[in-house]
């Protein structure tokens, strides 16, 4: 199962969203994120670029959590982010992807 965790944060602040994949017996083959502009790449500047943590496989819970950190400068309004995973174990052949979307709602306070 793949569960996306929605996040509601203030506009122009750092946002962190996650995607939890359960029912695994090994780590995911690949993890990525995308938005309406396309694929998101991990940047070298944590204060200005997207940061992607693939996460580690946890044996006890048979899960892996991937996290996307959205820098304040890119969190300017409501946005939809999609985690994209690859897992041969879950019947996905190499190159096949499962996608799950999550909202990052920015509130003005």
């Amino acid at each position: 199962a793949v569960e996306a965790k929605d996040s509601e944060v203030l506009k122009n602040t750092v946002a962190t969203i996650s995607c939890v994949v359960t029912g695994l017996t090994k780590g995911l083959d690949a993890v990525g994120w995308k938005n309406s502009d396309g694929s998101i790449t991990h940047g070298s500047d944590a204060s200005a670029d997207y940061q992607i943590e693939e996460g580690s496989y946890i044996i006890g819970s048979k899960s892996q959590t991937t996290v996307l950190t959205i820098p304040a400068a890119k969190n300017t309004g409501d946005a939809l982010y999609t985690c994209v995973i690859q897992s041969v174990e879950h019947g996905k052949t190499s190159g096949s992807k499962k996608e799950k979307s999550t909202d990052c709602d920015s509130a003005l306070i």
Side-chain angles (χ1 to χ4, degrees):
V2 179
E3 180 183 359
K5 304 284 189 177
D6 290 349
S7 177
E8 189 166 334
V9 297
L10 297 176
K11 181 179 179 182
N12 297 317
T13 61
V14 174
T16 302
I17 56 178
S18 62
C19 191
V20 181
V21 184
T22 57
L24 299 171
T25 60
K26 66 176 192 157
L28 296 168
D29 297 307
V31 172
W33 287 86
K34 68 179 188 175
N35 61 15
S36 60
D37 295 329
S39 293
I40 294 172
T41 56
H42 179 88
S44 58
D45 183 352
S47 64
D49 298 327
Y50 291 106
Q51 301 297 300
I52 299 172
E53 292 178 46
E54 289 189 8
S56 298
Y57 171 67
I58 300 170
I59 295 170
S61 62
K62 296 183 178 180
S63 67
Q64 185 171 334
T65 301
T66 177
V67 178
L68 173 67
T69 302
I70 303 156
K74 296 184 188 253
N75 183 18
T76 57
D78 289 352
L80 182 67
Y81 292 88
T82 303
C83 65
V84 182
I85 62 163
Q86 286 182 298
S87 174
V88 173
E89 172 184 29
H90 280 257
K92 302 291 180 186
T93 57
S94 181
S96 296
K97 299 176 182 175
K98 180 170 177 114
E99 299 182 1
K100 186 73 175 186
S101 298
T102 185
D103 287 315
C104 182
D105 297 319
S106 298
L108 295 174
I109 296 180

